[in-house]
Amino acid sequence: MTDIKKTPAHSTSAGQSIMLDRRQLLLGAAGAAIGTATLGVASGLGIRPARAADRTEISFASASFFGKEGLGDLVKAFNESQSRITVKFIELPPPSSSTEVYQGLVQQLARRNGTPDVFSQDVIWIAGFASAGWALPLDEYFPKDKRSDYFPGTVAACTYGGKLTALPWFVDSGMFYYRKDLVEKHGGKVPETWADMATMAAEAQKAGDAKFGYLWQGKQAEVLVCDAVEIIASNGGSILSADGKSSVIGDDAAVAAIQFLYDTINKTKISPQSVLSWDEEPSRQPFTSGEAMFMRNWSYVYPIAQDPKASHVVDKVAVAPLPHFAGGKSSACLGGYQLGVNANSKKREAAIEFLTWMSSPETQTRLALNFGLAPSRPAIFQDAKLKAEQPFMASLQNVFTGATPRPITPQYAKVTLALQSSISKALVSGNVKAELQAAAAHINKIVG
Amino acid sequence: MAVTMTVAVSEQTPGKSRALSSALWPWLLLLPAFLSLASVSFYPIVNGVYLSFTNRSLITQDNDFVSIANYVQLLADPPFWNAWWHTIWFTLISTLLETFIGLAMALILCETFAGRGMVRAAMLVPWAMPTVVTSKMFGWLFDGQHGIINFILLHTGLIDQNVNWYGSPDTALTTIILADVWKTTPFMALLLLTGLQTVPKSLIEAARMDGARAWTIFWHVRLPLLMPTLLIAGLFRALDAFRVFDLVYVLTGGGPADSTETLSTLSYKVLFSTLQFGYGSAVTTAMFLTEGLIAIGFCIFLVRQIRRTT
């Protein structure tokens, strides 16, 4: 594994495989006979002789994303870009069937037979895969200076137990949608604190300009945890303590944050009762049909809001970072997919090379242009073509910068079910403190 | 090939071996069916029960025998009992409603009237629709803001503000039961209709000649003869209702505040979200046992009923 560092990271397709030729030379220098003997030793070590026709084959499993092209086209582009590696694409269901994608990956990785060599993963699976020993630590291939090319939140989400166990691929995060016309009418400035937001929303509702002040997602589902993560972090709180070994969701910062969500329905009444049964789409529809002033949702809403066929608010919608509590700072829940290498892969060099290509500025730009998936590298947001073709993405950059990961723990699947249940109970009953303290006790048992 | 040979041999050899082969013959014919059943049905059940005695987890790679630890945990697990009660409640109410409404529908469809064939066919539409579609449809009908149910109730003055059907623990399960009743009553009606049609017409006519009124005929002639059908249909429906998954999964995901969690959605979460195959298998085994008890209950009723009528 050490020899990979000696090869240039970007060994462009200059004729024959540089990497493998060099390995043969090294072997030769070690005293083995040149020629057939070398090849014999090499194949004995599982290294294939370097012939253009005989490429190293690796597999890449991913949820399928679509846009103007599919992931299959991307893989094909990689295969055509060089002559040493062939990537076989194992297509998993789309990310809307996240549970099925997760099961598919787990079943393959649990076999520990090296397939797939490379895989893409949702942020919340990273810790589990790493702790199961399925993800190859990537620190030696992507040292600190290379990691600074990415949004800090995405690198934090890819780090487990102090090791980089995944590479950021593309990001998504919670964001604050607002109606420009209504904001102008009621104060003129996009609210920065939750209190200001509630006041403005209530005013607009009272004036009859909007049926709903603020829409969010309160259904007992994963998205509720995302909404909770960001509002709690915007009050300086969090769900897990810094060491990840206990829960602090029963603390005052978190309780006050969830209390605010409860109040939007029951006190300030800027949100309808129905948010408690709404996930992303049901909350998006009233907003794009012009019934609401503010909304928390993901980046997918933006293109819909600007599509005259689907939206009554074309050109009236803009995006800002989510509000925060006085003294806190805005926080968005990190979504998006990351890349990982199978710890049991027998073709690590090729896997790393493919990984590097997939997360490269060029490929990320292509993902942004053709798939509408936002880059995890801030620098790409300056790309002129991207600004021209996907103008909304540039306005999203400062939203992505502060994206906060959900609890990073191998027990995430259990933690999220406990959170969904307790937060839903808190929002329904109004016993916020009691329910969140019960949640903390429950989560302590899971992660402790 | 082997089969033809056996036949050939058995024809040649007289006496004992012929008797033996004719005794074997049915078993041989049953063998393929048995093998396929064993592999797709018995094996998973046995394996599921076995897994419930282990701590198998796909993510931690644990796979040790833990005896009854999972069941001890299960009996002390509030989410399990919460889901258990919801499932029992759902099964009881939906089966009762579907049986009564289905019986009423069957009695109507038994009469001769113009367009009966059309009605019989049209009635099956809700049942033929995929449950996911039904779920989405009811999701919109009972939507707290834009649903037509709220609209109608508001305009007829039955409520003075929108009811959040799926977002409130007081109404969520009831609304899901309504969706199930809408979807499955036609199926019950169909089963009961076939039962009603086996009641000999001569009996009814004889009763009528004796001056019995419709109610008396129903109560003393039709119902007793329909009882076995009613019980079997009820058993089918109860076992099916007990496994309710898609309606809940699409409409509420078990929420709000766990108020619609059923055993199926709970076991789905434990098995496929957290990948705790050991504990999840204990949940499904507990489901299996409860279903077994329901089936035995129905069978006892059925046997008594048959004894009484014969």
Side-chain angles (χ1 to χ4, degrees):
Chain A
M1 266 331 296
T2 41
D3 55 351
I4 181 108
K5 279 192 281 186
K6 295 178 187 123
T7 50
H10 260 281
S11 46
T12 46
S13 56
Q16 288 282 343
S17 143
I18 301 167
M19 199 162 70
L20 294 181
D21 283 348
R22 190 175 282 198
R23 190 194 309 261
Q24 284 178 352
L25 277 175
L26 285 168
L27 285 168
I34 300 169
T36 47
T38 313
L39 285 175
V41 172
S43 51
L45 291 171
I47 301 160
R48 299 209 200 161
R51 273 187 287 127
D54 196 7
R55 296 169 161 214
T56 310
E57 191 180 291
I58 58 169
S59 51
F60 168 56
S62 174
S64 39
F65 296 91
F66 295 99
K68 287 179 204 159
E69 59 178 353
L71 277 187
D73 300 305
L74 206 62
V75 170
K76 208 170 138 210
F78 172 79
N79 287 337
E80 282 163 6
S81 75
Q82 47 74 58
S83 57
R84 286 163 293 113
I85 302 163
T86 306
V87 178
K88 207 177 112 234
F89 179 40
I90 303 170
E91 193 167 10
L92 300 175
S96 52
S97 309
S98 178
T99 309
E100 287 74 17
V101 175
Y102 178 64
Q103 287 165 235
L105 273 179
V106 168
Q107 279 167 14
Q108 293 183 43
L109 292 169
R111 284 189 205 121
R112 297 178 186 268
N113 63 358
T115 312
D117 298 278
V118 180
F119 54 92
S120 75
Q121 53 193 324
D122 199 340
V123 277
I124 49 179
W125 309 336
I126 292 175
F129 289 178
S131 84
W134 297 336
L136 182 73
L138 302 170
D139 302 76
E140 53 176 313
Y141 313 109
F142 302 98
K144 287 238 148 49
D145 58 313
K146 278 193 184 169
R147 287 180 226 173
S148 60
D149 295 344
Y150 297 96
F151 288 117
T154 63
V155 175
C158 289
T159 308
Y160 175 72
K163 288 190 178 121
L164 186 76
T165 56
L167 193 64
W169 193 23
F170 61 81
V171 292
D172 195 354
S173 80
M175 44 192 72
F176 189 59
Y177 287 87
Y178 65 93
R179 284 276 299 280
K180 288 189 280 187
D181 51 336
L182 296 183
V183 165
E184 214 156 278
K185 196 172 164 194
H186 296 276
K189 218 171 121 260
V190 183
E192 282 179 19
T193 65
W194 290 113
D196 288 351
M197 189 280 286
T199 315
M200 270 175 89
E203 266 176 40
Q205 251 179 335
K206 214 172 167 189
D209 290 328
K211 192 171 166 196
F212 310 122
Y214 177 57
L215 300 180
W216 48 284
Q217 295 82 29
K219 182 176 175 179
Q220 187 174 343
E222 181 67 29
V223 69
L224 176 59
V225 176
C226 298
D227 283 38
V229 160
E230 46 205 24
I231 199 155
I232 290 172
S234 77
N235 200 21
S238 77
I239 287 168
L240 290 189
S241 60
D243 65 0
K245 298 232 162 56
S246 64
S247 174
V248 291
I249 198 174
D251 292 7
D252 292 344
V255 172
I258 301 298
Q259 183 69 44
F260 174 83
L261 287 181
Y262 177 79
D263 289 345
T264 61
I265 303 171
N266 301 289
K267 204 168 132 201
T268 51
K269 297 192 191 270
I270 53 174
S271 308
Q273 269 277 324
S274 298
V275 292
L276 292 178
S277 50
W278 284 351
D279 53 15
E280 286 90 341
E281 272 299 88
S283 64
R284 191 273 300 168
Q285 277 148 350
F287 184 81
T288 48
S289 61
E291 291 182 300
M293 183 177 192
F294 299 118
M295 175 182 63
R296 178 261 169 227
N297 215 320
W298 306 96
S299 62
Y300 86 97
V301 171
Y302 198 91
I304 301 176
Q306 304 298 1
D307 177 1
K309 271 181 275 171
S311 161
H312 294 285
V313 287
V314 179
D315 294 331
K316 287 184 189 160
V317 173
V319 188
L322 284 156
H324 52 81
F325 288 92
K329 70 185 215 298
S330 167
S331 156
C333 179
L334 180 70
Y337 269 64
Q338 329 295 322
L339 298 162
V341 174
N342 189 337
N344 298 296
S345 167
K346 292 168 190 80
K347 294 147 188 169
R348 289 183 183 178
E349 302 85 350
I352 296 290
E353 175 129 6
F354 179 60
L355 202 72
T356 310
W357 185 87
M358 282 296 261
S359 188
S360 68
E362 294 75 24
T363 313
Q364 286 204 4
T365 311
R366 181 167 172 168
L367 278 168
L369 289 173
N370 293 353
F371 294 77
L373 303 171
S376 54
R377 296 167 176 268
I380 301 175
F381 287 89
Q382 306 312 318
D383 185 274
K385 200 170 171 211
L386 185 68
K387 277 183 175 170
E389 282 187 34
Q390 305 273 37
F392 78 96
M393 260 187 212
S395 68
L396 300 182
Q397 187 189 344
N398 53 357
V399 174
F400 293 141
T401 317
T404 317
R406 277 161 275 172
I408 297 177
T409 159
Q411 298 294 347
Y412 183 78
K414 287 186 199 170
V415 171
T416 185
L417 289 181
L419 285 171
Q420 288 170 31
S421 160
S422 310
I423 299 171
S424 179
K425 283 179 187 159
L427 291 172
V428 164
S429 67
N431 300 327
V432 178
K433 196 170 178 90
E435 290 296 349
L436 294 192
Q437 280 173 345
H442 188 182
I443 295 170
N444 282 341
K445 269 193 228 155
I446 298 172
V447 298
Chain B
M1 285 305 285
V3 171
T4 21
M5 274 175 66
T6 324
V7 176
V9 169
S10 68
E11 273 170 0
Q12 278 164 10
T13 45
K16 218 176 171 186
S17 60
R18 173 176 290 182
L20 186 72
S21 71
S22 65
L24 267 177
W25 191 231
W27 291 108
L28 267 175
L29 285 174
L30 281 174
L31 196 62
F34 177 78
L35 283 180
S36 58
L37 256 183
S39 61
V40 301
S41 184
F42 301 150
Y43 170 73
I45 292 173
V46 171
N47 193 39
V49 174
Y50 166 74
L51 278 176
S52 72
F53 292 105
T54 69
N55 63 356
R56 180 135 172 76
S57 157
L58 220 47
I59 200 116
T60 59
Q61 306 285 300
D62 286 333
N63 194 11
D64 306 316
F65 189 78
V66 293
S67 176
I68 56 164
N70 285 328
Y71 291 97
V72 173
Q73 191 189 338
L74 196 71
L75 293 177
D77 193 13
F80 170 76
W81 287 112
N82 173 55
W84 195 84
W85 282 113
H86 289 154
T87 314
I88 292 287
W89 181 248
F90 177 89
T91 307
L92 190 71
I93 301 297
S94 68
T95 308
L96 281 176
L97 282 175
E98 282 154 22
T99 309
F100 281 117
I101 304 173
L103 182 59
M105 281 168 77
L107 284 170
I108 295 169
L109 290 170
C110 219
E111 302 302 314
T112 359
F113 56 89
R116 185 173 72 164
M118 276 271 285
V119 175
R120 281 187 185 178
M123 158 193 110
L124 280 175
V125 170
W127 180 65
M129 253 158 77
T131 314
V132 185
V133 177
T134 311
S135 310
K136 278 281 169 203
M137 201 178 78
F138 268 78
W140 285 117
L141 285 174
F142 284 89
D143 185 274
Q145 290 301 326
H146 307 96
I148 191 148
I149 302 289
N150 271 343
F151 179 83
I152 293 170
L153 292 179
L154 266 179
H155 283 256
T156 50
L158 286 169
I159 52 172
D160 50 11
Q161 62 172 19
N162 279 337
V163 178
N164 188 20
W165 301 99
Y166 294 112
S168 156
D170 306 330
T171 51
L173 192 60
T174 312
T175 319
I176 292 177
I177 291 177
L178 272 180
D180 192 69
V181 168
W182 182 83
K183 182 181 163 53
T184 325
T185 303
F187 173 69
M188 285 299 267
L190 193 74
L191 287 184
L192 297 178
L193 183 60
T194 50
L196 277 177
Q197 281 171 338
T198 59
V199 178
K201 281 223 164 61
S202 53
L203 275 183
I204 296 170
E205 260 152 42
R208 209 168 275 157
M209 298 284 272
D210 291 341
R213 280 188 294 180
W215 177 250
T216 324
I217 294 176
F218 170 73
W219 197 246
H220 292 287
V221 181
R222 279 175 148 175
L223 194 60
L225 288 170
L226 189 65
M227 215 49 193
T229 319
L230 212 54
L231 281 171
I232 287 174
L235 172 65
F236 275 18
R237 194 49 224 142
L239 293 186
D240 215 25
F242 197 81
R243 295 193 305 253
V244 61
F245 177 79
D246 19 18
L247 275 174
V248 177
Y249 192 73
V250 174
L251 284 171
T252 61
D258 291 342
S259 64
T260 58
E261 194 84 276
T262 63
L263 286 173
S264 287
T265 54
L266 180 76
S267 58
Y268 178 77
K269 286 176 185 173
V270 175
L271 281 167
F272 297 118
S273 295
T274 70
L275 301 169
Q276 296 166 274
F277 281 27
Y279 189 60
S281 298
V283 177
T284 50
T285 307
M287 263 182 91
F288 183 72
L289 291 177
T290 317
E291 283 210 281
L293 287 178
I294 295 176
I296 291 171
F298 267 99
C299 287
I300 292 174
F301 255 120
L302 194 64
V303 168
R304 271 198 199 158
Q305 189 63 37
I306 290 169
R307 278 205 190 129
R308 204 180 295 160
T309 43
T310 52

